[in-house]
Amino acid sequence: MERRTIALVIVLVVTVVLLGVVAVMVFRAPGSQETKPQAPRVITVVDFSNRTVEVPVNASRVVAIGPGVLRLVAYLGALDKIVGVEDAEKSWSPLGRDYAMAYGDVFKNLQVIGPGGPRNPPNPELLRSVKPDIVLMSRVYVDVYDPDRLSQEVGAPVVVIDYGVAGYLNVTEFKRAITLLGRILGREARAQELAKYIDGVVDDLAQRVRVAKVAPSVYVGAVSYKGAQPFTGTQGMFPPLQLLKTRSIVDELGKKGFVNVDFEYILKKNPEYIFIDLNNLQTVLDDYKKDSAKYCALGAFKEGRVYALLPFNYYHTNVATALVDAYFMGKVLYPEQFKDVDPAKKADEIYRVFLGKPLYEEFVRGFGRGFGPLSDLFKC
């Protein structure tokens, strides 16, 4: 009896084991193998604050905060990933911010994630509410909010982005920024396309002026910078002129950045050509009406060589517009070398490459005029 009992137990055990094997075979697909759950795929990047950050691949929920960052996302054609925008993008006039002129309607339907502006700190609570996969943060904000702290508070990696000093065009830094963002946002081919295009533009401008025999004397007045600026508000190393290898009369002062010069200095230098930023044209007109004599003492005003420029410094450098201005200035200063260039058509070519839309006529409608002489307003 004991032997029979033992035999029955063995049979039962074998049967249970076999049934378990069959069950596993039934519930597993033929040919499948047991695999461990895969961790989300990430890539490691080094940002513009020299921080090493892990970011998810194929992130679909992205926010961009601080001056210039959303512009770069727009240039890369990745606005479909943006899930919230700063209040500044909704409340400020888009005129002069190329990406906002092109896609401001898109921003209207997105949730507000903070105040925006160069000096306002990010809002972790509002950022967290849109559940971003990645926060792209302007390096300007590093001075007012620690990115590692923000990452912990929002629960998402924060990548610091920059493309040079606001109001200037650093092509090397711009290409570095879009290359990094292209990798993060899955737009690497687009980043390469933009880098190649801007290299072509820079080379084209340099080649044209290389054969010019004489560099003209130039002054750029009322340059956009932190609100309304007078005629005497200018900029050393003005970016479009730098692209044309041409100096402004203020460059000899050795100051890079936004500076105010005495009117007497402009009178002394008496530049052949003067350009005025359309963003501050009314400020200049108001001053002209008060004392037209001092303006008419300048040869450029007397002889009709005063021209309008599109503003390109608005919530960081509008790269496309800076390139557009360079072609117009080249057309005025070096007519023989730029005789094949139609500034309006060239502008829309550049805007189409960067933003997929022509924008020149929007500038004209917004400011009431575009590129061209201002002799109808300043009569001497």
Side-chain angles (χ1 to χ4, degrees), residues 157-227:
V158 173
V159 181
V160 176
I161 300 293
D162 190 29
Y163 59 104
V165 178
Y168 282 88
L169 177 53
N170 186 323
V171 172
T172 300
E173 289 293 273
F174 173 74
K175 291 192 295 183
R176 180 185 164 205
I178 59 171
T179 298
L180 175 61
L181 276 180
R183 187 175 174 220
I184 292 170
L185 300 174
R187 297 291 194 274
E188 290 172 291
R190 170 62 177 160
Q192 291 174 3
E193 175 191 350
L194 276 177
K196 183 178 179 180
Y197 182 79
I198 196 171
D199 280 342
V201 167
V202 171
D203 184 62
D204 179 50
L205 291 167
Q207 291 290 345
R208 288 174 183 273
V209 298
R210 188 166 290 141
V211 296
K213 295 180 181 179
V214 180
S217 172
V218 187
Y219 176 73
V220 186
V223 174
S224 291
Y225 178 67
K226 295 182 179 179

Side-chain angles (χ1 to χ4, degrees), residues 59-62 73 76-83 106 185 187:
S60 60
R61 301 185 64 81
V62 178
V73 176
L76 288 170
L79 288 178
D80 58 308
K81 296 177 180 289
I82 295 294
V83 293
V106 175
L185 300 174
R187 297 291 194 274

Side-chain angles (χ1 to χ4, degrees), residues 16-260:
V16 169
V17 171
L18 289 173
L19 287 171
V21 171
V22 171
V24 169
M25 292 177 67
V26 169
F27 287 103
R28 284 172 54 190
S32 66
Q33 298 179 354
E34 288 188 62
T35 56
K36 295 180 180 179
Q38 289 188 344
R41 290 180 59 212
V42 298
I43 58 172
T44 302
V45 300
V46 177
D47 72 5
F48 278 74
S49 283
N50 203 32
R51 298 165 55 251
T52 299
V53 186
E54 286 190 344
V55 296
V57 174
N58 297 324
S60 60
R61 301 185 64 81
V62 178
V63 290
I65 58 175
V69 184
L70 187 59
R71 175 181 292 107
L72 298 187
V73 176
Y75 285 171
L76 288 170
L79 288 178
D80 58 308
K81 296 177 180 289
I82 295 294
V83 293
V85 294
E86 296 170 311
D87 183 63
E89 300 293 354
K90 293 172 174 267
S91 58
W92 292 356
S93 168
L95 183 60
R97 294 199 325 281
D98 52 6
Y99 67 103
M101 292 170 69
Y103 297 106
D105 288 343
V106 175
F107 305 157
K108 290 178 183 177
N109 299 320
L110 294 175
Q111 185 172 325
V112 171
I113 54 172
R119 289 168 294 278
N120 292 321
N123 187 312
E125 184 178 352
L126 289 177
L127 286 167
R128 190 168 55 245
S129 70
V130 297
K131 301 177 181 178
D133 299 321
I134 301 171
V135 177
L136 304 173
M137 174 178 171
S138 171
R139 187 156 63 179
V140 171
Y141 277 2
V142 174
D143 294 334
V144 295
Y145 215 100
D146 179 66
D148 292 323
R149 173 188 167 190
L150 186 65
S151 178
Q152 292 177 349
E153 292 172 337
V154 176
V158 173
V159 181
V160 176
I161 300 293
D162 190 29
Y163 59 104
V165 178
Y168 282 88
L169 177 53
N170 186 323
V171 172
T172 300
E173 289 293 273
F174 173 74
K175 291 192 295 183
R176 180 185 164 205
I178 59 171
T179 298
L180 175 61
L181 276 180
R183 187 175 174 220
I184 292 170
L185 300 174
R187 297 291 194 274
E188 290 172 291
R190 170 62 177 160
Q192 291 174 3
E193 175 191 350
L194 276 177
K196 183 178 179 180
Y197 182 79
I198 196 171
D199 280 342
V201 167
V202 171
D203 184 62
D204 179 50
L205 291 167
Q207 291 290 345
R208 288 174 183 273
V209 298
R210 188 166 290 141
V211 296
K213 295 180 181 179
V214 180
S217 172
V218 187
Y219 176 73
V220 186
V223 174
S224 291
Y225 178 67
K226 295 182 179 179
Q229 295 295 327
F231 179 67
T232 52
T234 186
Q235 182 178 358
M237 311 292 284
F238 189 68
L241 287 178
Q242 291 292 294
L243 291 169
L244 294 168
K245 310 297 182 185
T246 303
R247 290 168 60 85
S248 161
I249 62 168
V250 300
D251 288 351
E252 62 190 68
L253 297 175
K255 296 179 180 180
K256 183 176 180 180
F258 297 88
V259 294
N260 266 291

Side-chain angles (χ1 to χ4, degrees), residues 4-24:
R4 290 178 63 187
T5 301
I6 292 171
L8 286 170
V9 170
I10 292 172
V11 169
L12 287 170
V13 170
V14 172
T15 300
V16 169
V17 171
L18 289 173
L19 287 171
V21 171
V22 171
V24 169

